Amino acid sequence: MLNRILDNRYTVLEHIGGGGTADVYRAHDKLFNRFVAIKMLHPQFVNDSDFKTRFKYEAQAAAKLSHPNIVNIYDVGSDGDKNYIVMEFVSGETLKEKIMREGILNIADALKITTDIAEALEHAHQNNLVHCDIKPHNIIITEDGIAKVTDFGIAKAVSNSTITAFGTTIGSVHYFSPEHARGGY
């Protein structure tokens, strides 16, 4: 993938992360002359319409959110067999990396990070979106110490009292709520 140009616009520069369904790359956006993060669906899911729908849904769900503690979505597209989401590139580390590096966080840092996450989730909830996969891996701490929530890949839209999803329970088992693990609301 390195040095590949997507849609004659995004030059893929380096692999910076990944998960169960996608890899994330740092890239250069030639149109706006800025660095971006590109989340690219794993090749084994290219022909899986459920995963492609879920992937597109992530982009649509997160794109309607605009908050300083949520990673911005800039674009969504496909180039050949590559389906991707273009996001704000956040220079920093995940909360998991910070905890692994520092161990126990001091109280001031812990409270600041928690407040940032809570404000991001409040904004998402006000826009009828429940993240469903909050964990240290999905929180990026900027070099300025601001926490940003990312990866709305399994978010659920909430309408009145009904939660819609894709019919399966997915997420990170270590961070499931008991209700989610049972398949409930």
Side-chain angles (χ1 to χ4, degrees):
M1 279 307 307
L2 300 185
N3 297 316
R4 180 169 177 172
I5 299 175
L6 300 171
D7 286 332
N8 202 28
R9 177 174 175 184
Y10 305 107
T11 303
V12 178
L13 301 173
E14 69 177 313
H15 183 267
I16 57 174
T21 60
D23 281 309
V24 181
Y25 299 88
R26 184 174 67 93
H28 181 259
D29 177 351
K30 291 193 285 187
L31 182 63
F32 290 111
N33 191 27
R34 65 181 172 190
F35 291 107
V36 294
I38 296 183
K39 184 173 187 176
M40 203 166 307
L41 195 61
H42 286 314
Q44 66 262 36
F45 300 117
V46 168
N47 296 318
D48 187 324
S49 61
D50 185 44
F51 273 96
K52 286 171 69 172
T53 299
R54 192 175 290 136
F55 193 73
K56 184 177 179 182
Y57 177 79
E58 173 186 358
Q60 292 172 335
K64 72 179 183 177
L65 302 176
S66 179
H67 191 275
N69 299 112
I70 296 175
V71 173
N72 290 306
I73 302 293
Y74 297 144
D75 193 9
V76 63
S78 61
D79 186 343
D81 64 346
K82 303 297 181 195
N83 296 283
Y84 62 88
I85 299 170
V86 181
M87 303 173 283
E88 167 187 12
F89 175 74
V90 180
S91 186
E93 64 185 341
T94 67
L95 180 55
K96 177 183 170 123
E97 292 166 339
K98 182 177 179 68
I99 292 169
M100 295 299 292
R101 184 176 49 76
E102 294 182 13
I104 297 172
L105 302 179
N106 69 55
I107 292 172
D109 284 349
L111 289 173
K112 168 75 170 90
I113 291 167
T114 302
T115 300
D116 287 352
I117 295 167
E119 288 176 1
L121 295 178
E122 178 183 37
H123 179 74
H125 295 174
Q126 288 170 345
N127 285 277
N128 300 318
L129 197 64
V130 180
H131 188 283
C132 297
D133 198 24
I134 290 295
K135 59 185 179 183
H137 312 66
N138 289 340
I139 309 300
I140 300 174
I141 309 299
T142 69
E143 292 172 347
D144 296 331
I146 297 168
K148 288 184 161 267
V149 176
T150 191
D151 200 359
F152 279 80
I154 62 170
K156 294 181 182 177
V158 179
S159 173
N160 296 328
S161 61
T162 304
I163 298 178
T164 59
F166 293 93
T168 39
T169 301
I170 56 173
S172 303
V173 69
H174 295 100
Y175 300 97
F176 270 6
S177 68
E179 299 82 4
H180 193 185
R182 287 192 303 267
Y185 300 124

